[in-house]
Amino acid sequence: MNKKYIDINCDVGEGIPVEESLFPYISSCNIACGGHYGTADSIKKTVDLAIKNDVKIGAHPSYPDKNNFGRVSINMPKDTFIKSIQEQMHNIDTVLGQKEKKLHHIKAHGALYNDLATDVALAKSFLGALGCYKDKAYLYAPYGSVIAVEAIKNGFLVQYEAFADRNYNSDLSLVSRKLEEAIIKEPKAVLMHLKRMCLEGKVATISGILVNIKANTYCVHGDTSSALDILEYISTELPTFNIYTK
């Protein structure tokens, strides 16, 4: 069996106590840059952790809504939305400039990530805000999503993303966090979920149907209660299936 190399990413810089312990098990990270969470100090601390662990650094912009941790959709005027995204990107660019490090990727957070998957106008506004990054950083986006299609059409570099610790609906949308079955917390279950996506290109949806999916990078959420257990377990078990992180 040929070796398969994947990226394991994690949302970080979000004030989670165990975050430092996650870095040895991931290959890229998405750093909160002031929308749903994040200050200059938290960004610096997280960038330092990424550098120390040789982890690729990404920005994690969101709707500007710390009260709801960016998990509620907001209807914003286009100019206000673009300004917010650009301000968040400036926050992380400032730190990376001080550290003489390059931004590897950009991944939207929470409700914005979900909305970008289906809303053409919002996707165009988001890409408009990120125009200067078109040739410099990857955009992490879900396979088949509106944002991925628009990004590729406009010359952005795209890496398809899937979620190792989240359940899917039949249309490849994520099961709502309001539902108990939204998050996969048991490490063995996460491994099987991830293995099927990696090796078969399919995901078992919440209704039991297998749906085609494509991904280069897989996310384990840092705020999932068992995130560290999951990452430790899959880092040990994935090589038994000839799957390695890079």
Side-chain angles (χ1 to χ4, degrees), residues 57-68:
I57 298 169
H60 201 34
S62 75
Y63 286 123
D65 182 14
K66 289 179 177 165
N67 289 335
N68 295 298

Side-chain angles (χ1 to χ4, degrees), residues 141-144 160-162 172 197 201-202 212-218:
Y143 172 67
Y160 291 127
E161 179 185 40
L172 288 184
M197 289 190 286
K202 296 183 182 296
N212 292 335
I213 196 168
K214 187 183 293 185
N216 315 99
T217 180
Y218 297 86

Side-chain angles (χ1 to χ4, degrees), residues 102-106 127 129-139 151-158:
K102 292 183 178 180
L103 184 74
H104 176 264
H105 65 275
I106 301 163
L127 294 174
L130 301 176
C132 66
Y133 299 92
K134 183 183 295 188
D135 303 318
K136 301 175 183 177
Y138 291 100
L139 184 69
I152 292 170
K153 188 189 303 183
N154 286 279
F156 280 79
L157 304 169
V158 173

Side-chain angles (χ1 to χ4, degrees), residues 175-193:
V175 173
S176 170
R177 283 181 175 268
K178 295 177 182 178
L179 301 178
E180 186 177 346
E181 59 267 35
I183 302 171
I184 308 171
K185 298 179 181 179
E186 208 283 312
K188 290 183 180 179
V190 171
L191 177 67
M192 292 301 103
H193 189 60

